[in-house]
């Protein structure tokens, strides 16, 4: 009894070398950040580097791409919320939508419907992409994760990596490894559109608008509907959710379906932004969206959206803003470095993510 | 209340967690309108008994009977739909939801209008009226207990199961809690309450069972158990 009481006394832990090292890393990170930005500012004053308009384009592109990451990140976050593991196959759920959307788009192009009726065409593509991603997500849950419901959380996590490869090579096997290019959007979308005093490229504006509408819809769904409430209940306490009469399995399926639908929307947005899809299209955006979810505090839906937009901004603006200041050439190629550095920095400074609550010490993986 | 027909019965129920034998042949009978208490020390299987009623644990032998129907293997939702609900050990509220959402989710399976029950709960616990929009996790322990009871009542149960409702409550609140139990029972709900606080529980119970390592070792009316010398020695804190 006495020893148990003694160990519970608030004892000051002596800082070890790891703490000193982490402190040094933090200081170095801040110094490098300020140094890089200062270098860029000095260049700007000297009239070198990007113009104001170029900066604005970087910001808009960053937000558009970030909004897409945010939509994918929701799926990671929701599944983590209800099942406590990272579904690494979610990038492939997103890719499935983009792929299926391509075939629909291509067909519409072939029958000359795409150019004459672009808005309806893109809606059809969106619908098919959502349908495909939702189906893939739900099937994966049913086949791969449900049998592992009572296994330690690390088991479905590793399974998800396997599923990820399985889906990649299934698509490669079925449709070949070549990059498939969506037909081009009409000229009026590619032109710059005046929007509040700004001139924004039409596709980027469309991407941002669709993403915002989708996120608002998701928010209303989760907060206001009966299924949304079940999802929140299951995320908090499965046993008590069942005690309320909630069908936990069906709610988990709904969670995968909604996360899949979000990824499906992102699949079409990807097509608008980049046009090319292939069997590995899901990999990097998937990892980035996972990063965004962690950045925002995993399990927190608002955080996933905000984390996505922030990550997109870091990626879009960071290379020019920080790296160019050191005189590094070709910085725009280094956006992935910036994205993952941002993740590492956030985890060093705030391990629970920017908007995350401290996780309970449950078995999560 | 006068005791009526049998609403809940255990017939030689055994349960296991993996290889571990927990309930070892439990027989129980609960009549409509009664308050029945289940007493027993830590790890004697009290919570397991309630979980078995709700289908959260499936008996490995024996029968659980609700309203004359054997319910072994039923899903929890089906048992809840039959009119059984529970105030779980440690309240277990949805802490990130508001108090109002916690109460409403208690009526999740109901298709009818539950406004009357909602109002009844707020009448029973007036302090909750000012807390409806607050997250349940921010409430005090006593208030959380009220929400947990209210949530269970929102299902309009015929049988209310309560797992150690006075655990962790200040003595004043414990007394209040037993008043509430009596009030709920007088309104027509059968109550099956698990307690470690034997004195208090037996003083309001029509009938009591004592569980020891998975077996019922004593049973009788509240008065009989309170007077039983074995009981007094083992559970009511009397020496010799
Ligand atoms: N989910 C579980 N898995 C394995 N053993 C359990 C589980 N839940 C309870 N037990 C064990 O079953 C026994 C009875 O537990 P319980 O019914 O919770 O007792 P009580 O509520 O009377 O304290 C205890 O020994 C406990 O450790
Ligand atoms: Mg217990």
């Amino acid at each position: 009894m006495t020893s148990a009481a003694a160990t519970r006394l608030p004892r000051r832990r002596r800082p070890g070398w790891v703490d000193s090292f982490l402190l040094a890393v933090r200081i170095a990170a801040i110094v490098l950040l300020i140094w890089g930005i200062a270098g860029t500012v000095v260049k700007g004053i000297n009239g070198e580097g990007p113009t104001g308009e170029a900066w604005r384009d970087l910001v808009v592109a960053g937000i558009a791409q970030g909004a897409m990451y945010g939509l994918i990140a929701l799926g990671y976050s929701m599944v983590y919320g209800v099942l406590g593991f990272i579904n690494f196959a979610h990038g492939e759920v997103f890719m499935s939508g983009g792929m299926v959307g391509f075939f629909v788009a291509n067909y519409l192009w072939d029958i000359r419907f795409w150019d004459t009726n672009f808005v309806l065409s893109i809606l059809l593509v969106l619908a098919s992409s959502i349908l495909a991603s939702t189906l893939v997500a739900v099937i994966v849950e049913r086949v791969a994760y449900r049998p592992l419901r009572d296994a330690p959380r690390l088991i479905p996590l590793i399974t998800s990596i396997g599923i990820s490869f399985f889906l990649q090579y299934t698509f490669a096997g079925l449709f070949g490894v070549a990059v498939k290019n969506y037909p081009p959007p009409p000229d009026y979308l590619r032109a710059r559109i005046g929007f509040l005093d700004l001139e924004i490229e039409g596709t980027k504006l469309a991407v941002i608008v669709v993403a915002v509408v989708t996120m608002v819809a998701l928010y209303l769904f989760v907060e206001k509907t009966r299924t949304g409430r079940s999802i929140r209940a299951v995320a908090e306490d499965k046993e008590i959710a069942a005690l309320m009469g909630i069908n936990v399995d069906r709610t988990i399926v709904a969670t995968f379906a909604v996360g899949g639908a979000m990824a499906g929307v992102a699949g079409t947005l990807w097509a608008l932004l980049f046009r090319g899809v292939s069997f590995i299209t899901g990999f990097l955006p998937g990892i980035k969206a996972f990063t965004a979810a962690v950045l925002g505090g995993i399990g927190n839906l608002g955080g996933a959206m905000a984390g996505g937009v922030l990550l997109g901004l870091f990626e879009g603006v960071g290379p020019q803003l920080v790296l160019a200041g050191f005189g590094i050439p070709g910085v725009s190629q280094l956006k992935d470095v910036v994205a993952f550095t941002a993740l590492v920095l956030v985890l060093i400074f705030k391990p629970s993510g920017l908007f995350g609550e401290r996780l309970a010490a449950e078995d999560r993986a | 209340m006068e005791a009526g027909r049998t609403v809940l019965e255990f017939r030689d129920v055994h349960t296991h967690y993996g290889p571990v034998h927990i309930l070892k042949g439990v027989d129980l009978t609960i009549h409509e309108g009664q308050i029945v208490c289940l007493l027993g020390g830590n790890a004697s299987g009290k919570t397991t008994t309630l979980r078995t009623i709700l289908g959260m644990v499936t008996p490995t032998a024996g029968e659980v009977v609700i309203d004359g129907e054997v319910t072994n293997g039923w899903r929890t939702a089906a048992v809840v739909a039959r009119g059984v609900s529970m105030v779980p050990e440690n309240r277990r509220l949805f802490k990130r939801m508001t108090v109002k959402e916690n109460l409403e989710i208690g009526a999740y399976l109901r298709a009818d209008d539950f406004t009357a029950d909602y109002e009844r709960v707020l009448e029973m616990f007036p302090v909750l009226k000012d807390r409806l929009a607050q997250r349940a996790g921010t409430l005090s322990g006593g208030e959380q207990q009220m929400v947990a009871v209210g949530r269970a009542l929102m299902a309009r149960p015929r049988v209310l199961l309560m797992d150690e409702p006075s655990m962790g409550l200040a003595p004043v609140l414990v007394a209040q809690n037993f008043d509430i139990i009596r009030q709920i029972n007088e309104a027509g709900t059968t109550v099956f309450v698990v307690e470690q606080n034997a004195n208090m529980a037996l003083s309001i119970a029509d009938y009591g069972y004592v569980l020891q390592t998975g077996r019922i070792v004593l049973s009788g009316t509240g008065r009989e158990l309170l007077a039983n010398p074995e009981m007094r020695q083992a559970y009511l804190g009397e020496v010799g």
Side-chain angles (χ1 to χ4, degrees), chain A residues 59-142:
Chain A
V59 170
V60 171
I63 292 176
Q65 195 161 342
M68 187 195 70
Y69 290 152
L71 286 178
I72 309 175
L74 288 168
Y76 283 99
S77 221
M78 291 181 79
V79 167
Y80 188 86
V82 296
L83 290 179
F85 76 92
I86 302 295
N87 173 19
F88 277 110
H90 191 61
E92 277 58 50
V93 168
F94 153 77
M95 177 271 288
S96 311
M99 275 283 202
V100 170
F102 162 77
F103 291 108
V104 174
N106 210 34
Y107 173 75
L108 294 171
W109 173 261
D110 282 346
I111 63 168
R112 322 216 94 247
F113 190 73
W114 181 271
D115 14 6
T116 54
N117 226 324
F118 177 74
V119 174
L120 195 55
S121 299
I122 204 72
L123 287 178
L124 283 171
V125 169
L126 183 65
S128 57
S129 177
I130 291 174
L131 193 66
S133 290
T134 306
L135 265 180
V136 170
V138 168
I139 292 171
V140 167
E141 189 279 329
R142 186 70 192 80

Side-chain angles (χ1 to χ4, degrees), chain B residues 46-47 89 163-164:
Chain B
K46 304 181 299 296
T47 298
E89 199 169 1
D163 198 346
E164 305 207 25

Side-chain angles (χ1 to χ4, degrees), chain B residues 71-88:
Chain B
T71 62
N72 294 32
W74 282 25
R75 286 193 308 111
T76 303
V79 179
V80 175
R82 267 308 173 86
V84 181
S85 59
M86 172 159 81
V87 180

